[in-house]
Amino acid sequence: MANTFRSKILGPLLSEGSHQDLSLESTLRDLPLYQFQVKSSCLGAPVAEMFEKHPLLPGVVLVEAGEFVGMISRRLLLEYLLKPQGQELFLRLPLKTLYSYARVEMSVLRESTTILTAAPQALRRSPELQSDPIVVQIDSQSYRLLDSHTLNIAYWQIRGIETQVRYERAQAQMIQSEKMASLGRLVNGVAHEILDPVGFIWGNLTYISDYSKNLLELLSIYDAHCTEPPPEIATLKEEIDYDFLQNDFLSTVGSIKAGAERLSKLATSLQNFCHIDDVYPKPADLHSNIDSILLLLKSRLSSEIQVIKNYGYLPPVPCYAGELNQVFINILTNAINSLINEAVGQELAKEFRGKGLKNFARKPQIEIITQVCSPEPPIDPERPHLRWVSIRIKDNGPGMSVMKYQKILHSFSAEKRVLKETSLAVSYQIITGKHGGIFRMQSELGIGTEFEIWLPLT
């Protein structure tokens, strides 16, 4: 009998704490699996003895010439043994006879199948087969058995983990949202306090500029009519460098005016970025929003990075402006990070004269393209007559590898966002979930990355 079949139980049978390390990515290989494999020519009697010796063994795998041919569950064998003359018939005949006589459907899954995928598939079996074990394929010649009850328990444990993670995530988001709202109100207040004195400065600079011109004109007339000034005036003119002061005074006033204008724009950009969205979307000037974000990111936009704006005509777009600003800053930050690496590579290439390094001939740039269009065929078949606003932000950076690109796309799924919300995943949710739009990403190594946002015009 030892040459006919072999039996070994792999791992504990759902002992306490056996699933404590389960996660959303856990697969069937993380569960207790049974190895009980016999030749199809094996008689039923020794298999029945093994079932009696191991009451938790869910079934037996049948092989023939080293190939998998089927599975007989404990339930099926006992059911046929209880039939009239079943013990005399099936205990003395090879198992292949019983298998060919019963011929029931099996559920065969690979060990890499996730528990969250396997459990619903197992539940789709016929009601009378719900308690039968799952056949788990390890490789082309190795199969194990998984108790369906164990699978169901693991499935609901993971669902409980998922629910707990969602709850904790929701709590963290509420706290984070409140923090961001408080920070937004604080920054908005600071920006307002900056704008008040800047407004005073800006309003008076116009008068100062006019007064300065009038005073300089008056002094010029005095100089024209007073060709021989007293010695005290001549000495003072020399001490203050009167000729240079005349030429530089208006330029200084202009510089102060430019600085006040820049500070005013920066404070206004901060107010726009910290805008707290209302319950309902409101029309917004997206070009103004993008320009505000670019102004806030100006310190990171080095002279090597060129920003090209190809703005089309956009009407006011109904949206949640504050959340859209977050999307723009996430995408632009991602582009700037990749281009900074590109710029550093260029500097290294110049320093080492390209020895062993790529020769970067192109200038790092970010291009922003906006337009209103009604694409054909429609990008959303359920809304074929809808007009859309398209915002494309692309860079000519190094691009992404296929693995990184797929990883980012995978992070857009709801299950991945539960575990970890990346900035791009949050952007995807804001565009698709909050605005009913479309968020697309394309990337190619050596070419660059492009993000495209489609927002519906209602």
Side-chain angles (χ1 to χ4, degrees), residues 289-451:
N289 285 17
I290 295 174
D291 290 340
S292 297
I293 298 302
L294 289 173
L295 184 60
L296 293 177
L297 295 175
K298 190 173 183 179
S299 61
R300 301 203 62 206
L301 286 168
S302 60
S303 58
E304 292 84 4
I305 301 177
Q306 180 183 11
V307 178
I308 300 174
K309 302 177 187 177
N310 290 322
Y311 289 167
Y313 169 75
L314 293 187
V317 179
C319 63
Y320 298 94
E323 296 193 15
L324 268 188
N325 287 339
Q326 187 64 54
V327 173
F328 293 145
I329 201 169
N330 289 344
I331 295 176
L332 288 169
T333 300
N334 184 79
I336 291 172
N337 289 339
S338 64
L339 290 175
I340 287 176
N341 294 334
E342 186 92 345
V344 171
Q346 289 190 24
E347 294 300 321
L348 289 174
K350 292 177 183 178
E351 183 177 351
F352 294 98
R353 298 180 182 178
K355 293 182 179 180
L357 293 173
K358 179 181 175 182
N359 185 20
F360 297 94
R362 57 186 179 176
K363 182 177 179 64
Q365 68 178 26
I366 298 173
E367 185 176 8
I368 305 173
I369 306 169
T370 63
Q371 61 180 337
V372 175
C373 53
S374 300
E376 291 292 342
I379 59 176
D380 188 349
E382 296 183 0
R383 297 176 285 179
H385 303 297
L386 198 62
R387 297 172 68 221
W388 296 82
V389 169
S390 170
I391 304 117
R392 294 163 57 199
I393 302 176
K394 59 182 180 179
D395 64 72
N396 62 346
M400 304 178 188
S401 64
V402 176
M403 183 178 296
K404 182 179 179 181
Y405 178 77
Q406 293 296 333
K407 186 176 181 180
I408 292 177
L409 288 183
H410 194 41
S411 71
F412 293 166
S413 66
E415 291 183 355
K416 286 295 181 181
R417 290 201 307 273
V418 168
L419 294 176
K420 182 179 181 181
E421 284 191 346
T422 63
S423 61
L424 293 179
V426 170
S427 301
Y428 175 87
Q429 173 62 21
I430 290 174
I431 297 299
T432 59
K434 198 70 179 285
H435 291 84
I438 296 173
F439 188 88
R440 292 175 177 172
M441 180 183 71
Q442 296 179 358
S443 185
E444 186 176 350
L445 278 176
I447 302 298
T449 303
E450 177 178 345
F451 293 91

Side-chain angles (χ1 to χ4, degrees), residues 17-27 30-31 115-116 152-170 414-415 417-420:
S18 61
H19 298 318
Q20 59 184 353
D21 296 327
L22 291 179
S23 66
L24 296 178
E25 288 85 14
S26 293
T27 61
D30 299 318
L31 299 178
I115 296 174
L116 291 179
N152 290 334
I153 291 178
Y155 175 78
W156 288 111
Q157 281 184 344
I158 293 177
R159 283 303 182 194
I161 294 172
E162 183 181 21
T163 302
Q164 179 66 21
V165 170
R166 287 183 183 276
Y167 172 73
E168 293 175 357
R169 188 70 182 180
E415 291 183 355
R417 290 201 307 273
V418 168
L419 294 176
K420 182 179 181 181

Side-chain angles (χ1 to χ4, degrees), residues 87-102:
Q87 294 189 13
E88 296 182 3
L89 181 61
F90 294 111
L91 289 180
R92 299 178 181 179
L93 292 177
L95 288 176
K96 61 183 177 181
T97 304
L98 172 60
Y99 182 72
S100 61
Y101 181 76

Side-chain angles (χ1 to χ4, degrees), residues 28 68 106-110 113 121 134-137 143:
L28 298 183
F68 171 78
M106 290 181 301
S107 181
V108 182
L109 301 173
R110 297 193 64 85
T113 306
Q121 292 184 16
I134 312 298
V135 179
V136 180
Q137 183 179 2
Y143 293 82

